[in-house]
Amino acid sequence: MERFAWKATVKEGKLAEYKKRHDNIWPELKQVLKDAGIGNYTIWNVGNELFGYFECDKGVAYAEQHQAASSVVDKWNEYMKDVMVMEMDPETGAQPKMQQVFFLA
């Protein structure tokens, strides 16, 4: 199991809408994430900053490839563009990886 973390920004005044959309996340998107081996997925915020964390049973590279190949993920990203800003890694098509600097097991 590998861990993955990402960050993004919610556009000014859009946090409530961001939360609402995640409260009503599409079942087909949930399935894509599960098929990618993603679990224990949480998103946190402080102000307009977002921090996401998930664990990848099939490895980060597999999760990135699976998401990048999904039209559902493409549609979700398009749907979220009006409420958030996330730069995507041009090589993987996924969120840029944050580098782990500490871990307490």
Side-chain angles (χ1 to χ4, degrees), residues 21-92:
R21 291 181 190 187
H22 281 80
D23 287 343
N24 297 294
I25 194 167
W26 306 335
E28 60 270 30
L29 180 60
K30 282 185 181 180
Q31 191 60 53
V32 168
L33 297 174
K34 288 178 182 180
D35 292 346
I38 293 172
N40 196 24
Y41 193 169
T42 56
I43 301 172
W44 304 80
N45 86 285
V46 60
N48 288 344
E49 294 179 48
L50 297 170
F51 169 77
Y53 167 87
F54 55 83
E55 296 171 351
C56 306
D57 289 338
K58 298 177 181 180
V60 170
Y62 181 85
E64 288 174 334
Q65 292 167 0
H66 191 78
Q67 290 179 87
S70 170
S71 63
V72 174
V73 171
D74 291 341
K75 289 177 189 174
W76 180 262
N77 290 341
E78 185 66 28
Y79 175 58
M80 296 302 289
K81 279 172 59 173
D82 67 322
V83 297
M84 70 179 292
V85 177
M86 177 181 286
E87 300 297 325
M88 302 304 268
D89 184 326
E91 290 182 29
T92 66

